[in-house]
């Protein structure tokens, strides 16, 4: 345990990729929470990246802001904080083409088609070096390294005189390695987050890798169907885009596993030890999925200490909490039956300036759109693009740039908060845009307002 400068306790909770709490010992954590007399514990999960230091910097920025925003709130008592540390894969930065400014004449469909994620500019070795850090299994690390080597070798051979059959074999070998890393299917009901598996498990990499390159702007539009340019070079660049999609798939699956098998049971144990303790879950990006799936592992509603859920630019399906009637998948979302584990409001932010979720995230499921059912608008979109969908009761709010708003949150209600006036700094982030522009007092005030609105 450490402390904020204002003396509030902070626990660093480290989980491995299977959801096992590796530090501190669960008993020590429970003892310390009880000894500190905490009544309101904010539990925050980071998203992108595996570096402990970057996660700590996020928490060191946000915890004091949340503490200040909640200071004096009538419904908050003695506050404590816990930061989740989990192995989230990190894809190297790429020189992406930024989308046109919102409401500009260039912000139409033509501009979207011309976008590039910039993946072709990075080497297979660079991609592998970033991704390998997120695997504990040496065999998987070796597979990732081999993927990077084979991609770079294919790039070097792209202009050589190999036969078409030899080139196709190269792609098949790469794809077999990719398939070996694909996480197993989630429990029934997690279909809304599985769109990218259509690409990762496809049996025709020659076609699908070219389509991936086209979707992410690594090849000219139409090249996968019209034979434009060098098909093998396009397909090899597409292999790099496939690794980006693989990282999405693994991160989403891992976040769900850690939330359901690790954080959720830990919170149930906390409630058993300290029944009066209120827990306020906060998650950013893929970390929003982690804290959400903790609701599926916390047990019955009476066993849950969770009194608010705050998702900041969530990088998972906006249908996750949906009811069946208006869900394009025809079934209730994976967490539809677990919303009652939150004894307060369920809040999420979204911003048109978040390109990581709003622009690139749905492209990871582009192959799944080829089936007739996938034509429903927003089938593969994320929380950070437009918030909870097909939920009830639901309400909309707007986060003003100047802050100072009374959100008038009520327990048991889903709130979509348009944060575009605050989460809007895209400078220097051509791929992600404002996805991580969250270290702001207005965002902290939203978390405090959600926490204070418990039943």
């Amino acid at each position: 345990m450490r402390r904020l400068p204002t003396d509030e306790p902070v626990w660093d909770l480290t989980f491995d990729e299977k959801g096992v709490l590796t530090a501190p010992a669960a008993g020590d954590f429970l003892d310390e929470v009880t000894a500190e007399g905490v009544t309101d514990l904010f539990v925050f999960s980071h998203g992108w990246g595996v570096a402990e230091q970057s996660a700590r910097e996020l928490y060191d920025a946000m915890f004091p802001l949340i503490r200040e925003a909640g200071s004096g709130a009538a419904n908050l008592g003695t506050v404590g904080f816990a930061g989740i540390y989990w192995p989230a894969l990190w894809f190297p930065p790429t020189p992406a083409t930024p989308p046109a400014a919102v409401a500009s004449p260039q912000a139409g469909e033509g501009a979207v088609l011309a976008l590039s994620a910039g993946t072709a500019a990075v080497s297979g070795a660079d991609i592998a070096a970033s991704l390998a850090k997120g695997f504990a299994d040496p065999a998987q690390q070796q597979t990732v390294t081999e993927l990077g080597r084979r991609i770079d070798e294919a790039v070097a051979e792209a202009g050589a005189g190999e036969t078409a059959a030899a080139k196709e074999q190269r792609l098949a070998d790469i794809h077999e390695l990719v398939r070996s890393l694909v996480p197993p299917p989630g429990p029934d009901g997690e279909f809304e987050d599985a769109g990218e598996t259509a690409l990762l498990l496809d049996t025709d990499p020659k076609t699908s890798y070219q389509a991936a390159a086209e979707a992410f702007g690594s090849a000219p539009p139409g090249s996968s169907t019209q034979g434009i340019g060098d098909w093998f070079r396009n397909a090899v660049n597409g292999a790099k885009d496939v690794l980006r999609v693989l990282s999405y798939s693994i991160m989403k699956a891992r976040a769900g596993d850690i939330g359901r098998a690790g954080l959720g049971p830990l919170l149930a144990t906390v409630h058993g030890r300290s029944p009066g303790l209120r827990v306020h879950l906060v998650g950013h990006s893929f970390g929003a999925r982690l804290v959400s799936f903790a609701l599926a592992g916390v047990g019955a509603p009476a066993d849950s200490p969770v009194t608010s859920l705050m998702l900041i630019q969530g990088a998972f399906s906006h249908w996750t909490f949906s009811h069946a009637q208006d869900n394009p998948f025809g079934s209730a979302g994976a967490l539809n039956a677990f919303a009652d584990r939150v004894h307060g409001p369920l809040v999420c932010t979204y911003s048109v300036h978040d390109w990581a979720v709003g622009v690139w995230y749905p492209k990871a499921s582009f192959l799944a759109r080829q089936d007739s059912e996938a034509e429903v608008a927003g089938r593969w979109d994320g929380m950070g693009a437009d918030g909870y969908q097909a939920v009830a009761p639901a309400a909309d709010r707007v986060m003003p740039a100047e802050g100072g708003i009374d959100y008038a949150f009520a327990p048991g209600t889903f709130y979509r908060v348009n944060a575009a006036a605050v989460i809007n700094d895209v400078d220097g982030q051509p791929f992600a845009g404002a996805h991580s522009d969250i270290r702001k007092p207005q965002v902290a005030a939203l978390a405090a307002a959600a926490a204070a609105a418990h039943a």
Side-chain angles (χ1 to χ4, degrees):
M1 183 185 73
R2 53 195 180 95
R3 293 186 182 276
L4 296 182
T6 47
D7 206 41
E8 289 80 10
V10 177
W11 288 273
D12 297 326
L13 305 180
T14 302
F15 290 89
D16 69 15
E17 61 190 71
K18 302 298 183 183
V20 176
L21 181 67
T22 60
D28 293 343
F29 170 62
L30 297 171
D31 289 344
E32 291 174 1
V33 170
T34 301
E36 290 291 323
V38 172
T39 62
D40 290 271
L41 180 67
F42 288 84
V43 179
F44 200 137
S45 177
H46 68 83
W48 302 84
V50 298
E52 178 180 335
Q53 183 59 35
S54 62
R56 182 180 289 263
E57 289 171 358
L58 171 64
Y59 302 146
D60 286 349
M62 291 302 297
F63 289 164
L65 291 176
I66 295 173
R67 179 260 176 197
E68 182 177 353
S71 180
N75 289 346
L76 294 178
T78 302
V79 173
F81 299 91
I84 305 265
Y85 295 81
W86 64 285
L89 303 186
W90 179 251
F91 202 87
T94 55
T97 303
V102 176
S104 73
Q106 294 78 31
E109 182 66 17
V112 173
L113 291 175
L115 290 178
S116 171
T119 320
V122 295
S123 70
D126 287 341
I127 295 172
S130 288
L131 296 185
K133 298 173 185 177
F135 292 94
D137 184 351
Q140 290 182 316
Q141 293 176 351
Q142 184 176 353
T143 297
V144 172
T145 300
E146 179 66 9
L147 268 168
R149 186 191 71 78
R150 286 178 180 264
I151 288 174
D152 286 342
E153 185 179 78
V155 169
E157 294 294 330
E162 280 191 329
T163 65
K167 292 176 179 178
E168 290 180 24
Q169 185 59 52
R170 284 187 183 275
L171 293 180
D173 293 342
I174 289 171
H175 193 55
E176 187 60 33
L177 292 174
V178 168
R179 288 169 62 95
S180 73
L181 294 171
V182 176
D188 290 343
E190 293 185 24
F191 37 79
E192 69 272 356
D193 262 321
E196 63 269 18
T197 56
L199 167 64
L200 300 176
L201 300 179
D202 188 78
T203 57
D204 180 14
K206 176 181 178 180
T207 300
S208 62
Y209 280 32
Q210 290 181 80
E214 182 179 335
F216 284 90
S218 299
S223 59
S224 64
T225 56
Q226 300 174 20
I228 297 175
D230 182 342
W231 74 264
F232 183 63
R233 190 180 302 277
N234 289 343
V236 172
N237 284 334
K240 300 177 185 179
D241 294 309
V242 168
L243 291 190
R244 188 192 292 274
V245 174
L246 177 67
S247 74
Y248 288 179
S249 181
I250 292 174
M251 279 196 282
K252 286 194 296 186
R254 185 176 293 177
D257 290 343
I258 294 170
R260 180 173 38 233
L263 180 58
L266 178 64
L267 296 181
T269 305
V270 166
H271 181 68
R273 176 76 69 89
S274 303
L277 176 68
R278 295 181 291 264
V279 172
H280 311 293
L281 296 178
V282 183
H284 171 238
S285 187
F286 288 101
R289 192 175 198 268
L290 190 156
V291 298
S292 294
F293 274 79
L295 303 177
V298 78
D303 298 323
S304 174
V306 180
T307 48
S308 67
L309 178 69
M310 163 88 164
L311 310 180
I312 309 172
Q313 300 308 117
F316 67 115
S317 176
H318 59 185
W319 304 107
T320 300
F321 287 89
S322 67
H323 48 70
Q325 301 92 297
D326 300 315
N327 187 334
F329 296 94
S331 301
L335 297 181
N336 171 265
F338 298 100
D340 60 0
R341 273 60 169 180
V342 182
H343 308 301
L346 301 90
V347 179
C348 70
T349 69
Y350 66 94
S351 171
V352 71
H353 306 290
D354 184 340
W355 302 333
V357 175
V359 175
W360 299 113
Y361 174 91
K363 288 182 178 290
S365 302
F366 68 95
L367 275 185
R369 291 204 189 103
Q370 293 179 358
D371 67 71
S372 59
E373 295 178 359
E375 295 175 1
V376 178
R379 179 178 170 99
W380 299 110
D381 287 346
M383 287 279 185
D386 55 5
Y388 302 109
Q389 298 297 304
V391 293
D396 295 300
R397 296 288 189 269
V398 176
M399 181 185 291
E402 64 275 12
I405 186 176
D406 179 2
Y407 287 100
F409 289 146
T413 300
F414 291 89
Y415 292 94
R416 297 178 288 256
V417 180
N418 185 342
V422 175
I423 301 177
N424 58 9
D425 186 358
V426 301
D427 288 347
Q429 299 294 331
F431 179 83
H435 180 66
S436 296
D437 181 34
I438 67 171
R439 303 181 189 188
K440 295 185 172 180
Q442 301 94 319
V443 177
L446 184 68
H454 57 77

